[in-house]
Amino acid sequence: MKLPVIKHLTQFIEENDEDFVNETIETLEALTEVPSLKDEELDVIGELISNMYGAVEVNKMIKDGTPKKEALNNFMQRVLGSIDK
């Protein structure tokens, strides 16, 4: 996951609508079923999907009243904490 990408996607959600990101996630997930995709291509799609899910999660924290910067930092700390385990 890349914080700058999640931050940009969070801004996109704020300016537009979370539904755009959710529909893109669904589209990308459907693309992963294409049998001719190479591992590298699947990795890129997976990275995009994880960043989008991250932005959706950050957006939920912001909606719940967490300041944007704090929500981004808290999310990345959780991600890094789960990697360390």
Side-chain angles (χ1 to χ4, degrees), residues 6-72:
I6 293 172
K7 186 176 181 181
H8 186 81
L9 287 168
T10 301
Q11 185 66 38
F12 177 85
I13 291 170
E14 289 174 2
E15 293 171 359
N16 297 281
D17 190 353
E18 186 177 309
D19 289 340
F20 286 112
V21 174
N22 287 325
E23 289 169 1
T24 303
I25 290 170
E26 290 176 23
T27 303
L28 290 171
E29 286 176 342
L31 278 175
T32 64
E33 301 299 320
V34 175
S36 61
L37 285 177
K38 297 177 179 144
D39 288 342
E40 297 84 20
E41 294 166 326
L42 286 171
D43 289 344
V44 170
I45 293 171
E47 182 70 17
L48 289 169
I49 291 170
S50 66
N51 283 312
M52 289 181 188
Y53 273 124
V56 169
E57 182 66 27
V58 169
N59 186 57
K60 287 179 186 173
M61 287 188 267
I62 293 169
K63 282 183 179 178
D64 290 340
T66 305
K68 183 177 182 178
K69 185 175 180 177
E70 185 179 330
L72 286 162

Side-chain angles (χ1 to χ4, degrees), residues 3 58 61 67-80:
L3 184 58
V58 169
M61 287 188 267
K68 183 177 182 178
K69 185 175 180 177
E70 185 179 330
L72 286 162
N73 288 335
N74 289 346
F75 178 76
M76 288 310 292
Q77 286 176 349
R78 279 196 348 234
V79 168
L80 293 174

